Amino acid sequence: MLLTLGKKIALIVGTAVVPTLVVGTLFVADSQMLNPLKADGPTITLDSNIQPELDNTGSGTVTDAKGVTWEYHNASDYASGHVTLNADSYFGVSSSSSYGITAITSVVANFTGDELWLLTSIDGVNWGESEILTSGQAALSANDWRYIRFYNYSSTINIDSVVVGYDCVGVSSSEDLDGAHVENVISTTDNLTYEEETTDLSSSDSTRAVRFTKTNGNSTNFIISFGRTFTVGEIQNKKVEFDIKTSNINYGKTLQLYKNSSSVGSTVDSSKHSSYKITNIVDDWYHVEVPVTCLISTISGYNGGDVPAKNVASKEINAIKINAGNCVIDNLRICGGPQALGIYNNGASFGAGTAYWFKVSWVGKLHSCVITFDNPIAEQISLDDPLLENGSPFYIKGLSAGTVVATATVVCGYNHRTYTISNTLTINEKLSS
């Protein structure tokens, strides 16, 4: 239950009422620590003492001691523990639990089996991957999310127990994760001012955003923090997303990852790259999604032709640079929800006898990529090619001059989704030595 108390907000979890305007998980300075501090607090435990009542399809629900409803799909009874997950099976916080679990601080699952996924969601309906769990090891990637799910794609996983720590302190399911707050603005160009916005917001679940205002007609940009620090390895299969209110969405906008005031990785341009996804929400509000795979690659590199992705996974980021003028930014976060493929090459031609990096972006764990051609003048470089430096399946070799349509079929994500994307490429004559 959510109560409005003047300008304060109180959340009732179980029987405790906690007034708050502050996200419950505390973060230390970005340069000092990657993970949030965990406050001692209550926990929710699912084990053999609380088991779901399943029907003959493996579906059912259970309500825990804190009043949170958990839902189950394609599961089986497990006498020695909590539940058994079969192929394409899950259990997690139901969307019918209006506020989910407020301010999650850690998740520990004890289980036997392979590849148990932890998923997260803003609303309990649309899910994105968070990480693959290790039995008995605390996972922090779901911190501040309210809806979590445990998913098994194949085989059988026996769940002995799950313990979820939480702080009971939060504003809303989206606001708890939102970096679009004035205190997170790191820098702007001289001709851009900013202020807190509490009225013109992108959704009813939002309580505050940041308004930027241009003072002259020159180009403007700003760097804004997510409010937490990640390594590239932690987010390499996820995406940056935010909402923007602007009357000039068609003007080419660029994004680039940052650590404080230092750039990390490459720039993606909305006017050139299909990896930059824009969806109209209502009127001048738009939702932007950009995969991390096109902002920085952990698998690039062929025979020294590209800068190899060595030590990239350990690089830290905590912010994004956006070139935009008069606008409002809301709901800035990194998440792992599914997204269609994109292409972020700046050009579409290369020489015969040379390697070409077909820059396809995706979201989710990469399982495979097969590239096919409508004209046999190019081929996909094999994963066992000794010149392939980091195992990328996105390299093509030109065999002879001409025009060819290359189609990438990518299988990715916790549930092995299949996507395709095509682009017309020009292969030029091989230069004589």
Side-chain angles (χ1 to χ4, degrees):
M1 180 178 181
L2 195 64
L3 303 178
T4 302
L5 306 175
K7 291 186 178 180
K8 293 187 177 181
I9 295 176
L11 180 70
I12 297 179
V13 179
T15 58
V17 180
V18 183
T20 181
L21 281 176
V22 182
V23 176
T25 308
L26 303 176
F27 291 85
V28 298
D30 289 336
S31 62
Q32 297 177 6
M33 188 174 181
L34 296 180
N35 291 318
L37 294 171
K38 294 189 295 177
D40 293 332
T43 60
I44 290 174
T45 300
L46 302 178
D47 55 20
S48 59
N49 294 315
I50 176 171
Q51 296 176 323
E53 292 186 8
L54 303 174
D55 61 22
N56 57 7
T57 68
S59 298
T61 62
V62 70
T63 301
D64 64 37
K66 304 297 182 181
V68 176
T69 300
W70 297 74
E71 60 185 0
Y72 299 73
H73 168 77
N74 198 29
S76 299
D77 293 328
Y78 177 39
S80 300
H82 180 64
V83 76
T84 292
L85 294 182
N86 304 301
D88 189 27
S89 177
Y90 66 78
F91 74 99
V93 178
S94 171
S95 60
S96 65
S97 291
S98 301
Y99 304 106
I101 303 172
T102 308
I104 289 174
T105 58
S106 68
V107 177
V108 179
N110 291 284
F111 60 92
T112 55
D114 296 323
E115 201 168 310
L116 178 63
W117 278 98
L118 176 63
L119 312 182
T120 54
S121 173
I122 290 290
D123 52 13
V125 177
N126 300 298
W127 295 90
E129 62 192 59
S130 187
E131 65 178 289
I132 298 175
L133 295 172
T134 299
S135 181
Q137 181 173 307
L140 306 180
S141 60
N143 284 11
D144 291 329
W145 292 83
R146 296 192 178 198
Y147 295 90
I148 58 173
R149 176 176 284 183
F150 300 88
Y151 177 85
N152 176 35
Y153 176 72
S154 61
S155 69
T156 299
I157 298 178
N158 293 320
I159 308 294
D160 296 306
S161 65
V162 165
V163 179
V164 181
Y166 64 100
D167 272 349
C168 250
V169 180
V171 177
S172 69
S173 60
S174 66
E175 200 66 61
D176 294 356
L177 300 161
D178 187 7
H181 298 151
V182 290
E183 63 268 26
N184 289 333
V185 177
I186 294 174
S187 66
T188 70
T189 48
D190 292 340
N191 54 336
L192 197 65
T193 63
Y194 63 93
E195 62 184 338
E196 183 169 276
E197 176 61 59
T198 59
T199 302
D200 197 355
L201 304 170
S202 67
S203 69
S204 59
D205 199 39
S206 184
T207 61
R208 58 187 182 127
V210 185
R211 179 177 292 278
F212 294 90
T213 304
K214 293 183 68 168
T215 57
N216 62 46
N218 295 333
S219 178
T220 52
N221 62 68
F222 54 88
I223 301 173
I224 184 169
S225 169
F226 296 104
R228 59 193 71 190
T229 298
F230 305 92
T231 65
V232 171
E234 289 173 328
I235 63 170
Q236 62 183 327
N237 294 320
K238 299 184 181 181
K239 61 185 174 182
V240 175
E241 65 177 8
F242 58 90
D243 300 329
I244 181 171
K245 184 173 185 180
T246 176
S247 60
N248 197 14
I249 193 64
N250 293 322
Y251 175 78
K253 292 177 168 52
T254 61
L255 288 184
Q256 188 172 17
L257 295 174
Y258 266 67
K259 172 66 186 295
N260 298 327
S261 297
S262 300
S263 62
V264 180
S266 304
T267 299
V268 171
D269 191 325
S270 66
S271 64
K272 298 178 181 178
H273 304 140
S274 60
S275 296
Y276 195 114
K277 308 291 185 183
I278 303 172
T279 304
N280 182 235
I281 300 174
V282 62
D283 299 327
D284 288 335
W285 273 107
Y286 299 86
H287 185 64
V288 175
E289 299 171 291
V290 179
V292 172
T293 49
C294 65
L295 294 168
I296 186 166
S297 174
T298 61
I299 59 174
S300 66
Y302 183 81
N303 193 28
D306 301 297
V307 177
K310 293 178 180 177
N311 303 317
V312 170
S314 61
K315 289 182 179 293
E316 296 178 16
I317 69 98
N318 67 351
I320 194 83
K321 181 180 179 181
I322 304 173
N323 78 316
N326 297 314
C327 68
V328 180
I329 300 293
D330 200 1
N331 290 324
L332 172 67
R333 59 179 172 260
I334 291 178
C335 71
Q339 181 176 313
L341 305 179
I343 295 174
Y344 58 105
N345 289 103
N346 287 325
S349 64
F350 60 105
T354 63
Y356 174 78
W357 181 10
F358 191 27
K359 295 184 177 180
V360 175
S361 65
W362 72 95
V363 177
K365 180 182 178 181
L366 179 64
H367 299 289
S368 66
C369 171
V370 175
I371 303 175
T372 56
F373 308 91
D374 71 338
N375 185 351
I377 60 173
E379 65 182 10
Q380 183 178 11
I381 293 177
S382 172
L383 290 177
D384 59 11
D385 189 314
L387 299 180
L388 196 65
E389 296 177 354
N390 295 291
S392 172
F394 295 99
Y395 281 89
I396 294 169
K397 181 171 288 186
L399 302 177
S400 58
T403 299
V404 61
V405 176
T407 299
T409 299
V410 174
V411 179
C412 60
Y414 65 91
N415 55 354
H416 294 236
R417 301 178 299 272
T418 299
Y419 298 101
T420 61
I421 193 168
S422 300
N423 199 24
T424 300
L425 306 176
T426 299
I427 302 176
N428 302 313
E429 291 285 354
K430 184 177 181 179
L431 297 176
S432 57
S433 56

Coordinates of all heavy atoms in Angstrom, one line a residue, residues 194-243:
Y194 N 20.4 23.0 -15.8 CA 19.6 21.9 -15.5 C 18.9 22.1 -14.1 O 19.5 22.9 -13.3 CB 20.3 20.6 -15.5 CG 21.5 20.5 -14.5 CD1 21.3 19.9 -13.2 CD2 22.7 20.9 -14.9 CE1 22.3 19.8 -12.3 CE2 23.8 20.8 -14.0 CZ 23.6 20.3 -12.7 OH 24.6 20.2 -11.8
E195 N 17.8 21.5 -13.9 CA 17.1 21.6 -12.6 C 16.2 20.3 -12.4 O 15.9 19.6 -13.4 CB 16.2 22.8 -12.6 CG 15.1 22.8 -13.7 CD 14.3 24.1 -13.8 OE1 14.3 24.8 -12.8 OE2 13.7 24.4 -14.8
E196 N 15.8 20.1 -11.2 CA 14.9 19.0 -10.9 C 13.5 19.2 -11.5 O 13.0 20.3 -11.4 CB 14.8 18.7 -9.4 CG 14.0 17.5 -9.0 CD 14.1 17.1 -7.6 OE1 15.1 16.4 -7.2 OE2 13.3 17.6 -6.8
E197 N 13.0 18.2 -12.1 CA 11.6 18.2 -12.6 C 10.7 17.3 -11.9 O 11.1 16.1 -11.7 CB 11.6 17.9 -14.1 CG 10.3 17.8 -14.8 CD 9.5 19.1 -14.7 OE1 10.1 20.1 -15.2 OE2 8.4 19.2 -14.1
T198 N 9.6 17.7 -11.3 CA 8.7 16.9 -10.5 C 7.3 16.8 -11.1 O 6.5 16.1 -10.5 CB 8.7 17.3 -9.1 OG1 8.2 18.7 -9.0 CG2 10.1 17.3 -8.4
T199 N 7.1 17.6 -12.1 CA 5.7 17.6 -12.7 C 5.6 16.9 -14.1 O 4.7 16.1 -14.3 CB 5.2 19.1 -12.8 OG1 5.3 19.7 -11.5 CG2 3.8 19.1 -13.3
D200 N 6.5 17.3 -14.9 CA 6.5 16.7 -16.3 C 7.3 15.5 -16.4 O 8.5 15.5 -16.6 CB 7.0 17.8 -17.3 CG 6.7 17.5 -18.7 OD1 6.1 16.4 -19.0 OD2 7.0 18.3 -19.6
L201 N 6.7 14.3 -16.1 CA 7.4 13.1 -16.0 C 6.9 12.1 -17.0 O 5.8 12.2 -17.5 CB 7.2 12.5 -14.5 CG 7.6 13.5 -13.4 CD1 7.1 12.9 -12.1 CD2 9.1 13.7 -13.4
S202 N 7.7 11.0 -17.2 CA 7.3 10.1 -18.3 C 6.3 9.0 -17.9 O 5.7 8.4 -18.8 CB 8.6 9.4 -18.8 OG 9.2 8.5 -17.8
S203 N 6.1 8.8 -16.6 CA 5.2 7.8 -16.2 C 4.6 8.1 -14.8 O 5.2 8.9 -14.1 CB 5.8 6.4 -16.2 OG 6.8 6.3 -15.1
S204 N 3.5 7.5 -14.5 CA 2.9 7.7 -13.2 C 3.7 7.1 -12.1 O 3.5 7.5 -10.9 CB 1.4 7.1 -13.2 OG 1.5 5.7 -13.4
D205 N 4.6 6.2 -12.4 CA 5.5 5.6 -11.4 C 6.7 6.4 -11.1 O 7.4 6.2 -10.1 CB 5.9 4.2 -11.9 CG 6.4 3.3 -10.8 OD1 5.8 3.3 -9.7 OD2 7.4 2.6 -11.0
S206 N 6.9 7.5 -11.8 CA 8.1 8.4 -11.6 C 7.7 9.5 -10.7 O 6.6 10.0 -10.7 CB 8.6 8.9 -13.0 OG 9.7 9.7 -12.8
T207 N 8.7 10.0 -9.9 CA 8.4 11.1 -9.0 C 9.3 12.3 -9.3 O 9.0 13.4 -8.9 CB 8.6 10.7 -7.5 OG1 10.0 10.3 -7.3 CG2 7.7 9.6 -7.2
R208 N 10.5 12.1 -9.9 CA 11.3 13.2 -10.3 C 12.2 12.9 -11.5 O 12.6 11.7 -11.7 CB 12.2 13.7 -9.1 CG 13.1 12.6 -8.5 CD 13.7 13.2 -7.2 NE 14.6 12.3 -6.5 CZ 15.8 12.5 -6.2 NH1 16.3 13.7 -6.5 NH2 16.6 11.6 -5.6
A209 N 12.6 13.9 -12.2 CA 13.5 13.7 -13.4 C 14.4 15.0 -13.4 O 14.5 15.7 -12.5 CB 12.6 13.6 -14.6
V210 N 15.1 15.1 -14.6 CA 16.0 16.3 -14.7 C 15.6 17.0 -16.0 O 15.5 16.4 -17.1 CB 17.5 15.8 -14.9 CG1 18.4 17.1 -14.9 CG2 17.9 14.9 -13.7
R211 N 15.4 18.3 -15.9 CA 15.1 19.2 -17.0 C 16.4 19.9 -17.4 O 17.0 20.6 -16.6 CB 14.0 20.2 -16.7 CG 13.7 21.1 -17.9 CD 12.5 22.0 -17.6 NE 11.3 21.3 -17.5 CZ 10.5 20.9 -18.5 NH1 10.9 21.2 -19.7 NH2 9.4 20.3 -18.3
F212 N 16.7 19.9 -18.7 CA 17.9 20.6 -19.3 C 17.4 21.7 -20.2 O 16.4 21.5 -21.0 CB 18.8 19.6 -20.1 CG 19.4 18.6 -19.2 CD1 18.8 17.4 -19.0 CD2 20.7 18.8 -18.7 CE1 19.5 16.4 -18.2 CE2 21.3 17.9 -17.9 CZ 20.7 16.7 -17.6
T213 N 18.0 22.9 -20.1 CA 17.6 24.0 -20.9 C 18.8 24.7 -21.6 O 19.8 25.0 -20.9 CB 16.9 25.1 -20.0 OG1 15.8 24.5 -19.3 CG2 16.3 26.2 -20.8
K214 N 18.7 24.9 -22.9 CA 19.7 25.6 -23.7 C 19.6 27.1 -23.5 O 18.6 27.7 -23.5 CB 19.6 25.2 -25.1 CG 19.9 23.8 -25.5 CD 19.8 23.5 -27.0 CE 21.0 24.2 -27.7 NZ 21.1 23.7 -29.1
T215 N 20.8 27.7 -23.4 CA 20.8 29.2 -23.3 C 21.3 29.8 -24.5 O 21.2 31.1 -24.7 CB 21.8 29.6 -22.1 OG1 23.1 29.1 -22.4 CG2 21.3 29.1 -20.8
N216 N 21.8 29.1 -25.5 CA 22.0 29.6 -26.9 C 21.9 28.5 -27.9 O 21.7 27.3 -27.5 CB 23.4 30.3 -26.9 CG 24.6 29.5 -26.7 OD1 24.6 28.3 -27.2 ND2 25.5 29.9 -25.8
G217 N 22.1 28.8 -29.1 CA 21.9 27.8 -30.2 C 23.1 26.8 -30.5 O 22.9 26.0 -31.3
N218 N 24.1 26.9 -29.7 CA 25.3 26.1 -30.0 C 25.0 24.6 -29.5 O 24.1 24.4 -28.7 CB 26.5 26.6 -29.3 CG 27.0 27.9 -29.8 OD1 26.8 28.2 -31.0 ND2 27.6 28.7 -29.0
S219 N 25.8 23.7 -30.0 CA 25.6 22.3 -29.6 C 25.8 22.1 -28.1 O 26.6 22.8 -27.5 CB 26.6 21.4 -30.4 OG 26.5 20.1 -30.0
T220 N 25.0 21.2 -27.6 CA 25.0 20.9 -26.1 C 25.0 19.5 -25.8 O 24.5 18.6 -26.6 CB 23.7 21.5 -25.5 OG1 22.6 21.1 -26.1 CG2 23.8 23.0 -25.5
N221 N 25.6 19.1 -24.7 CA 25.6 17.8 -24.2 C 25.8 17.8 -22.7 O 26.2 18.8 -22.1 CB 26.7 16.9 -24.9 CG 28.1 17.4 -24.6 OD1 28.6 17.3 -23.5 ND2 28.8 17.9 -25.7
F222 N 25.6 16.6 -22.1 CA 25.7 16.5 -20.7 C 26.1 15.0 -20.3 O 25.9 14.1 -21.1 CB 24.4 16.8 -19.9 CG 23.2 16.1 -20.4 CD1 22.8 14.9 -19.8 CD2 22.4 16.6 -21.4 CE1 21.7 14.2 -20.2 CE2 21.3 15.9 -21.8 CZ 20.9 14.7 -21.2
I223 N 26.8 14.9 -19.2 CA 27.1 13.6 -18.7 C 26.4 13.4 -17.4 O 26.4 14.2 -16.5 CB 28.7 13.5 -18.4 CG1 29.5 13.7 -19.6 CG2 29.0 12.1 -17.8 CD1 31.0 13.8 -19.4
I224 N 25.6 12.3 -17.3 CA 24.8 12.0 -16.1 C 25.1 10.6 -15.7 O 25.2 9.6 -16.4 CB 23.3 12.2 -16.5 CG1 22.4 12.0 -15.2 CG2 22.8 11.3 -17.6 CD1 21.0 12.4 -15.4
S225 N 25.2 10.4 -14.4 CA 25.5 9.1 -13.7 C 24.3 8.3 -13.6 O 23.2 8.7 -13.4 CB 26.2 9.4 -12.4 OG 26.3 8.2 -11.6
F226 N 24.5 7.0 -13.6 CA 23.5 6.0 -13.3 C 23.2 5.9 -11.7 O 22.3 5.3 -11.3 CB 23.9 4.6 -13.8 CG 24.0 4.5 -15.2 CD1 25.2 4.5 -15.9 CD2 22.8 4.5 -16.0 CE1 25.3 4.4 -17.2 CE2 23.0 4.4 -17.4 CZ 24.2 4.4 -18.0
G227 N 24.1 6.6 -11.0 CA 24.0 6.5 -9.5 C 24.7 5.3 -8.9 O 24.6 5.0 -7.7
R228 N 25.4 4.6 -9.7 CA 26.2 3.4 -9.3 C 27.2 3.0 -10.3 O 27.2 3.5 -11.5 CB 25.2 2.2 -9.1 CG 24.4 1.8 -10.3 CD 23.3 0.8 -10.0 NE 22.2 1.5 -9.3 CZ 21.2 0.9 -8.7 NH1 21.1 -0.4 -8.7 NH2 20.3 1.6 -8.1
T229 N 28.2 2.3 -9.9 CA 29.3 1.9 -10.8 C 29.2 0.4 -11.2 O 28.8 -0.4 -10.4 CB 30.7 2.2 -10.2 OG1 30.8 3.5 -9.9 CG2 31.8 1.7 -11.1
F230 N 29.5 0.2 -12.5 CA 29.5 -1.2 -13.0 C 30.8 -1.5 -13.7 O 31.5 -0.5 -14.1 CB 28.4 -1.4 -14.1 CG 27.0 -1.0 -13.7 CD1 26.5 0.3 -13.9 CD2 26.2 -2.0 -13.1 CE1 25.2 0.6 -13.5 CE2 24.9 -1.6 -12.8 CZ 24.4 -0.4 -13.0
T231 N 31.2 -2.7 -13.8 CA 32.2 -3.1 -14.8 C 31.6 -3.4 -16.1 O 30.4 -3.8 -16.1 CB 33.1 -4.3 -14.3 OG1 32.2 -5.5 -14.3 CG2 33.7 -4.0 -12.9
V232 N 32.3 -3.3 -17.2 CA 31.8 -3.6 -18.5 C 31.3 -5.1 -18.5 O 30.3 -5.4 -19.1 CB 32.8 -3.3 -19.6 CG1 32.4 -3.8 -20.9 CG2 33.1 -1.8 -19.7
G233 N 32.1 -5.9 -17.9 CA 31.8 -7.3 -17.8 C 30.4 -7.6 -17.2 O 29.7 -8.5 -17.6
E234 N 30.0 -6.8 -16.2 CA 28.7 -7.0 -15.6 C 27.6 -6.6 -16.5 O 26.5 -7.2 -16.3 CB 28.7 -6.1 -14.3 CG 29.6 -6.6 -13.2 CD 29.6 -5.6 -12.0 OE1 29.5 -4.4 -12.2 OE2 29.8 -6.1 -10.9
I235 N 27.8 -5.7 -17.4 CA 26.7 -5.1 -18.1 C 26.8 -5.4 -19.6 O 26.0 -4.9 -20.4 CB 26.5 -3.6 -17.9 CG1 27.8 -2.9 -18.4 CG2 26.2 -3.3 -16.5 CD1 27.6 -1.4 -18.4
Q236 N 27.8 -6.2 -20.0 CA 28.1 -6.4 -21.5 C 26.9 -6.9 -22.3 O 26.8 -6.7 -23.5 CB 29.3 -7.3 -21.6 CG 29.1 -8.7 -21.1 CD 30.3 -9.6 -21.2 OE1 31.1 -9.4 -22.2 NE2 30.6 -10.4 -20.3
N237 N 26.0 -7.7 -21.7 CA 24.9 -8.2 -22.4 C 23.6 -7.4 -22.1 O 22.5 -7.9 -22.4 CB 24.7 -9.7 -22.0 CG 25.8 -10.5 -22.5 OD1 26.3 -10.3 -23.6 ND2 26.2 -11.5 -21.7
K238 N 23.7 -6.2 -21.5 CA 22.5 -5.5 -21.2 C 22.4 -4.2 -22.1 O 23.0 -4.1 -23.1 CB 22.6 -5.1 -19.7 CG 22.6 -6.3 -18.8 CD 22.6 -6.0 -17.3 CE 22.6 -7.3 -16.5 NZ 22.5 -7.0 -15.0
K239 N 21.5 -3.3 -21.7 CA 21.3 -2.1 -22.5 C 21.1 -0.9 -21.6 O 20.7 -1.0 -20.4 CB 20.1 -2.3 -23.4 CG 18.8 -2.5 -22.7 CD 17.7 -2.8 -23.6 CE 16.4 -3.2 -22.9 NZ 15.3 -3.5 -23.8
V240 N 21.5 0.3 -22.1 CA 21.1 1.5 -21.5 C 19.8 2.0 -22.0 O 19.5 1.9 -23.2 CB 22.2 2.6 -21.9 CG1 21.8 4.0 -21.3 CG2 23.6 2.2 -21.4
E241 N 18.9 2.4 -21.0 CA 17.6 2.9 -21.5 C 17.2 4.1 -20.6 O 17.7 4.3 -19.5 CB 16.6 1.8 -21.4 CG 16.2 1.3 -20.0 CD 15.1 0.3 -20.1 OE1 14.7 -0.1 -21.2 OE2 14.6 -0.1 -19.0
F242 N 16.5 5.0 -21.3 CA 16.0 6.2 -20.6 C 14.8 6.7 -21.4 O 14.6 6.4 -22.5 CB 17.1 7.2 -20.4 CG 17.7 7.7 -21.7 CD1 17.2 8.8 -22.4 CD2 18.8 7.1 -22.2 CE1 17.8 9.3 -23.5 CE2 19.4 7.5 -23.3 CZ 18.9 8.6 -24.0
D243 N 14.1 7.6 -20.7 CA 13.0 8.3 -21.4 C 13.4 9.8 -21.6 O 14.1 10.4 -20.7 CB 11.7 8.3 -20.5 CG 11.2 6.9 -20.3 OD1 11.4 6.0 -21.2 OD2 10.6 6.7 -19.2

